[in-house]
Amino acid sequence: EIVVTQSPGTLSLSPGERATLSCRASQSLSSDYVAWYQLKPGQAPRLLVYGASIRATGIPDRFSGRGSGTDFTLTISRLEPEDFAVYYCQQYGSSPPYTFGQGTKLQIK
Amino acid sequence: EVQLLESGGGLVQPGGSLRLSCAVSGFTFSNYAMNWVRQAPGMGLEWVSGMSGGDDSAFYADSVKGRFTISRDNSKNTLFLQMNRLRADDVAVYYCAKGIYRSWWSGGWFDAWGQGTLVTVSS
């Protein structure tokens, strides 16, 4: 089973700053099978990025993903107040196919 | 607009049963694999179970295998999760999530989720 590790566990930043969230897989992913989701309390999780770098429909361009192999990042270029949430990465390319990281909580500093 | 709406959560005693439902709209339900994902209090997301769109292929995490059963009624656009022998570590918000392929084995990300339903196991 591929283990997905996210860092940091908590990130404290101010609106307007840049956020960089990391996601590491325990084995190299043969393709860029990584997705990122945003979770807010009481809301449905929201797909942000798939294929490591492809923004989902309707996602603002301040969100960008990159990476390959075992290391992936999600960057939010200029934080808006609504971006403070918990973010999860997921690898979906191996068996079991749906392995999530433990999440990064992005909180207001 | 794609919508997923879970229901059926609640309080149940250890060893008890619950049946969750996920009613969907806005897409051709039978064409897509569907999944259940849960989030325990203070914990991350955990995939629980998945089912292909066109057949009865069903898959489970080891933590629920033999206790949970996923099913779907394509005529009613509804996904189910029958949960038996519930334990304290099953306490979580349960989300249904839409896959992007018809076959669960094709993998893929989840492009739509419901808002979740809370399952509490306590005596």
Side-chain angles (χ1 to χ4, degrees), chain B residues 27-49:
Chain B
F27 63 99
T28 303
F29 182 60
S30 59
N31 284 352
Y32 295 95
M34 295 294 296
N35 298 271
W36 288 97
V37 177
R38 69 185 180 184
Q39 183 178 30
M43 304 294 284
L45 295 173
E46 177 191 19
W47 173 79
V48 171
S49 181

Side-chain angles (χ1 to χ4, degrees), chain B residues 60-93:
Chain B
Y60 302 93
D62 288 344
S63 57
V64 307
K65 200 172 294 183
R67 299 187 300 122
F68 290 10
T69 302
I70 190 173
S71 62
R72 60 193 294 161
D73 185 338
N74 287 340
S75 68
K76 296 183 178 179
N77 292 343
T78 304
L79 179 74
F80 302 100
L81 185 67
Q82 178 66 43
M83 304 186 296
N84 297 332
R85 290 185 280 144
L86 282 160
R87 313 184 307 214
D89 61 355
D90 294 318
V91 172
V93 174

Side-chain angles (χ1 to χ4, degrees), chain A residues 95 97-98, chain B residues 33 52 57 59 101-108:
Chain A
S95 178
Y98 305 127
Chain B
S52 293
S57 302
F59 309 90
Y101 300 115
R102 185 168 185 160
S103 171
W104 182 88
W105 281 110
S106 297

Side-chain angles (χ1 to χ4, degrees), chain A residues 24-42:
Chain A
R24 174 167 289 180
S26 60
Q27 301 174 33
S28 181
L29 303 181
S30 57
S31 297
D32 297 335
Y33 289 153
V34 167
W36 290 90
Y37 302 91
Q38 178 191 67
L39 267 75
K40 295 181 178 180

Side-chain angles (χ1 to χ4, degrees), chain A:
Chain A
E1 173 181 332
I2 293 182
V3 176
V4 177
T5 303
Q6 292 185 242
S7 61
T10 302
L11 186 57
S12 298
L13 293 169
S14 300
E17 290 191 294
R18 180 185 187 92
T20 301
L21 288 65
S22 295
C23 175
R24 174 167 289 180
S26 60
Q27 301 174 33
S28 181
L29 303 181
S30 57
S31 297
D32 297 335
Y33 289 153
V34 167
W36 290 90
Y37 302 91
Q38 178 191 67
L39 267 75
K40 295 181 178 180
Q43 297 187 19
R46 179 189 186 193
L47 172 68
L48 301 174
V49 168
Y50 61 92
S53 62
I54 304 170
R55 271 191 304 276
T57 302
I59 301 304
D61 61 6
R62 65 179 181 274
F63 291 89
S64 62
R66 62 178 300 170
S68 63
T70 61
D71 293 307
F72 300 85
T73 60
L74 176 72
T75 300
I76 310 171
S77 59
R78 294 173 309 279
L79 286 166
E80 297 287 341
E82 63 267 27
D83 298 336
F84 292 92
V86 181
Y87 292 83
Y88 289 92
C89 66
Q90 175 204 25
Q91 70 84 17
Y92 53 84
S94 76
S95 178
Y98 305 127
T99 310
F100 294 91
Q102 79 277 27
T104 291
K105 181 179 181 180
L106 179 56
Q107 64 182 22
I108 298 177
K109 186 174 182 181

